[in-house]
Amino acid sequence: MKTKTLRQTSLFNELDDIVSEISWGEIAEYYFPDKSVTWFYNKLRGVDGNGGKGEFTLGEKIQLRNALFDFSERVRKAAENITI
């Protein structure tokens, strides 16, 4: 597990362990249907559309956290459905 440094890191970096395993575009479309995929990727990287800082708001972080909890539960249920 990585330790945080004193400097600010993007949420993308905090999710490093799973970032390449998940289709973030699909997460964005399913759990943030009122936002664009580009908006979502920019927020993950901690930038706004103009290249400045643009992190998720507290409410958006809670929404993403709950989305990942929901997604993980869906993956667990799919695994349980595998007949062995």
Side-chain angles (χ1 to χ4, degrees):
M1 183 174 199
K2 295 182 179 178
T3 58
K4 290 185 182 181
T5 62
L6 292 177
R7 68 179 180 80
Q8 185 73 9
T9 61
S10 71
L11 191 56
F12 196 76
N13 292 334
E14 292 179 25
L15 298 171
D16 185 55
D17 187 46
I18 62 168
V19 79
S20 65
E21 306 298 324
I22 294 178
S23 171
W24 294 101
E26 295 290 327
I27 295 290
E29 289 176 355
Y30 190 84
Y31 294 102
F32 292 83
D34 58 331
K35 304 291 185 181
S36 72
V37 173
T38 301
W39 171 90
F40 186 83
Y41 275 108
N42 284 339
K43 292 288 186 169
L44 275 178
R45 289 182 173 87
V47 298
D48 65 16
N50 299 315
K53 286 193 171 194
E55 299 176 1
F56 285 102
T57 65
L58 176 60
E60 292 163 348
K61 284 181 180 180
I62 291 169
Q63 185 177 354
L64 177 58
R65 187 173 191 247
N66 289 334
L68 291 175
F69 283 142
D70 180 67
F71 182 74
S72 68
E73 180 65 16
R74 290 170 51 211
V75 169
R76 186 190 61 74
K77 285 180 181 177
E80 288 176 347
N81 287 334
I82 296 172
T83 304
I84 50 176

